[in-house]
PDB file of all heavy atoms in Angstrom:
ATOM      1  N   PHE V 554     -76.732   4.130 -30.392  1.00 96.00           N
ATOM      2  CA  PHE V 554     -76.189   3.242 -29.374  1.00 96.00           C
ATOM      3  C   PHE V 554     -77.198   2.264 -28.763  1.00 96.00           C
ATOM      4  O   PHE V 554     -76.851   1.533 -27.838  1.00 96.00           O
ATOM      5  CB  PHE V 554     -75.544   4.066 -28.250  1.00 96.00           C
ATOM      6  CG  PHE V 554     -74.430   4.943 -28.743  1.00 96.00           C
ATOM      7  CD1 PHE V 554     -74.571   6.325 -28.786  1.00 96.00           C
ATOM      8  CD2 PHE V 554     -73.234   4.391 -29.186  1.00 96.00           C
ATOM      9  CE1 PHE V 554     -73.544   7.139 -29.248  1.00 96.00           C
ATOM     10  CE2 PHE V 554     -72.199   5.199 -29.648  1.00 96.00           C
ATOM     11  CZ  PHE V 554     -72.365   6.570 -29.680  1.00 96.00           C
ATOM     12  N   ALA V 555     -78.422   2.225 -29.265  1.00 96.00           N
ATOM     13  CA  ALA V 555     -79.404   1.275 -28.742  1.00 96.00           C
ATOM     14  C   ALA V 555     -78.941  -0.156 -29.050  1.00 96.00           C
ATOM     15  O   ALA V 555     -78.251  -0.395 -30.049  1.00 96.00           O
ATOM     16  CB  ALA V 555     -80.777   1.531 -29.357  1.00 96.00           C
ATOM     17  N   TYR V 556     -79.291  -1.081 -28.183  1.00 95.00           N
ATOM     18  CA  TYR V 556     -78.854  -2.476 -28.356  1.00 95.00           C
ATOM     19  C   TYR V 556     -79.124  -3.030 -29.751  1.00 95.00           C
ATOM     20  O   TYR V 556     -78.229  -3.641 -30.348  1.00 95.00           O
ATOM     21  CB  TYR V 556     -79.493  -3.376 -27.307  1.00 95.00           C
ATOM     22  CG  TYR V 556     -78.960  -3.180 -25.914  1.00 95.00           C
ATOM     23  CD1 TYR V 556     -79.823  -3.094 -24.826  1.00 95.00           C
ATOM     24  CD2 TYR V 556     -77.590  -3.073 -25.660  1.00 95.00           C
ATOM     25  CE1 TYR V 556     -79.335  -2.910 -23.526  1.00 95.00           C
ATOM     26  CE2 TYR V 556     -77.104  -2.891 -24.381  1.00 95.00           C
ATOM     27  CZ  TYR V 556     -77.977  -2.815 -23.326  1.00 95.00           C
ATOM     28  OH  TYR V 556     -77.501  -2.634 -22.054  1.00 95.00           O
ATOM     29  N   PRO V 557     -80.319  -2.857 -30.316  1.00 97.00           N
ATOM     30  CA  PRO V 557     -80.545  -3.415 -31.660  1.00 97.00           C
ATOM     31  C   PRO V 557     -79.605  -2.821 -32.713  1.00 97.00           C
ATOM     32  O   PRO V 557     -79.157  -3.526 -33.615  1.00 97.00           O
ATOM     33  CB  PRO V 557     -82.007  -3.052 -31.960  1.00 97.00           C
ATOM     34  CG  PRO V 557     -82.633  -2.860 -30.627  1.00 97.00           C
ATOM     35  CD  PRO V 557     -81.556  -2.296 -29.749  1.00 97.00           C
ATOM     36  N   VAL V 558     -79.287  -1.546 -32.597  1.00 96.00           N
ATOM     37  CA  VAL V 558     -78.397  -0.890 -33.549  1.00 96.00           C
ATOM     38  C   VAL V 558     -76.987  -1.459 -33.428  1.00 96.00           C
ATOM     39  O   VAL V 558     -76.355  -1.836 -34.422  1.00 96.00           O
ATOM     40  CB  VAL V 558     -78.377   0.646 -33.314  1.00 96.00           C
ATOM     41  CG1 VAL V 558     -77.337   1.319 -34.191  1.00 96.00           C
ATOM     42  CG2 VAL V 558     -79.756   1.237 -33.538  1.00 96.00           C
ATOM     43  N   VAL V 559     -76.499  -1.534 -32.213  1.00 95.00           N
ATOM     44  CA  VAL V 559     -75.138  -2.037 -31.978  1.00 95.00           C
ATOM     45  C   VAL V 559     -75.040  -3.517 -32.352  1.00 95.00           C
ATOM     46  O   VAL V 559     -74.045  -3.954 -32.934  1.00 95.00           O
ATOM     47  CB  VAL V 559     -74.717  -1.784 -30.512  1.00 95.00           C
ATOM     48  CG1 VAL V 559     -73.376  -2.411 -30.212  1.00 95.00           C
ATOM     49  CG2 VAL V 559     -74.685  -0.286 -30.230  1.00 95.00           C
ATOM     50  N   THR V 560     -76.090  -4.272 -32.048  1.00 97.00           N
ATOM     51  CA  THR V 560     -76.107  -5.697 -32.395  1.00 97.00           C
ATOM     52  C   THR V 560     -75.955  -5.888 -33.906  1.00 97.00           C
ATOM     53  O   THR V 560     -75.172  -6.726 -34.361  1.00 97.00           O
ATOM     54  CB  THR V 560     -77.404  -6.359 -31.896  1.00 97.00           C
ATOM     55  OG1 THR V 560     -77.474  -6.220 -30.478  1.00 97.00           O
ATOM     56  CG2 THR V 560     -77.459  -7.825 -32.271  1.00 97.00           C
ATOM     57  N   LYS V 561     -76.697  -5.098 -34.684  1.00 97.00           N
ATOM     58  CA  LYS V 561     -76.603  -5.190 -36.142  1.00 97.00           C
ATOM     59  C   LYS V 561     -75.194  -4.852 -36.627  1.00 97.00           C
ATOM     60  O   LYS V 561     -74.680  -5.471 -37.555  1.00 97.00           O
ATOM     61  CB  LYS V 561     -77.616  -4.259 -36.811  1.00 97.00           C
ATOM     62  CG  LYS V 561     -79.029  -4.769 -36.764  1.00 97.00           C
ATOM     63  CD  LYS V 561     -79.962  -3.793 -37.451  1.00 97.00           C
ATOM     64  CE  LYS V 561     -81.400  -4.246 -37.289  1.00 97.00           C
ATOM     65  NZ  LYS V 561     -82.344  -3.275 -37.869  1.00 97.00           N
ATOM     66  N   GLN V 562     -74.562  -3.875 -35.984  1.00 96.00           N
ATOM     67  CA  GLN V 562     -73.203  -3.492 -36.377  1.00 96.00           C
ATOM     68  C   GLN V 562     -72.216  -4.616 -36.086  1.00 96.00           C
ATOM     69  O   GLN V 562     -71.349  -4.911 -36.907  1.00 96.00           O
ATOM     70  CB  GLN V 562     -72.796  -2.208 -35.652  1.00 96.00           C
ATOM     71  CG  GLN V 562     -73.566  -1.005 -36.122  1.00 96.00           C
ATOM     72  CD  GLN V 562     -73.335   0.222 -35.257  1.00 96.00           C
ATOM     73  OE1 GLN V 562     -72.867   0.132 -34.128  1.00 96.00           O
ATOM     74  NE2 GLN V 562     -73.668   1.384 -35.796  1.00 96.00           N
ATOM     75  N   TYR V 563     -72.347  -5.248 -34.925  1.00 96.00           N
ATOM     76  CA  TYR V 563     -71.477  -6.387 -34.603  1.00 96.00           C
ATOM     77  C   TYR V 563     -71.704  -7.534 -35.582  1.00 96.00           C
ATOM     78  O   TYR V 563     -70.742  -8.145 -36.066  1.00 96.00           O
ATOM     79  CB  TYR V 563     -71.725  -6.890 -33.175  1.00 96.00           C
ATOM     80  CG  TYR V 563     -70.928  -6.182 -32.128  1.00 96.00           C
ATOM     81  CD1 TYR V 563     -71.556  -5.424 -31.146  1.00 96.00           C
ATOM     82  CD2 TYR V 563     -69.532  -6.259 -32.088  1.00 96.00           C
ATOM     83  CE1 TYR V 563     -70.836  -4.767 -30.172  1.00 96.00           C
ATOM     84  CE2 TYR V 563     -68.799  -5.614 -31.122  1.00 96.00           C
ATOM     85  CZ  TYR V 563     -69.451  -4.864 -30.163  1.00 96.00           C
ATOM     86  OH  TYR V 563     -68.725  -4.225 -29.194  1.00 96.00           O
ATOM     87  N   LEU V 564     -72.952  -7.836 -35.878  1.00 97.00           N
ATOM     88  CA  LEU V 564     -73.246  -8.920 -36.826  1.00 97.00           C
ATOM     89  C   LEU V 564     -72.635  -8.630 -38.191  1.00 97.00           C
ATOM     90  O   LEU V 564     -72.093  -9.543 -38.833  1.00 97.00           O
ATOM     91  CB  LEU V 564     -74.756  -9.124 -36.944  1.00 97.00           C
ATOM     92  CG  LEU V 564     -75.415  -9.856 -35.789  1.00 97.00           C
ATOM     93  CD1 LEU V 564     -76.934  -9.854 -35.943  1.00 97.00           C
ATOM     94  CD2 LEU V 564     -74.901 -11.289 -35.683  1.00 97.00           C
ATOM     95  N   ALA V 565     -72.704  -7.385 -38.622  1.00 97.00           N
ATOM     96  CA  ALA V 565     -72.126  -7.027 -39.924  1.00 97.00           C
ATOM     97  C   ALA V 565     -70.616  -7.251 -39.918  1.00 97.00           C
ATOM     98  O   ALA V 565     -70.062  -7.757 -40.903  1.00 97.00           O
ATOM     99  CB  ALA V 565     -72.453  -5.574 -40.260  1.00 97.00           C
TER     100      ALA V 565
END
Side-chain angles (χ1 to χ4, degrees):
F554 301 110
Y556 289 135
V558 174
V559 175
T560 300
K561 284 180 185 176
Q562 291 171 342
Y563 273 116
L564 284 173

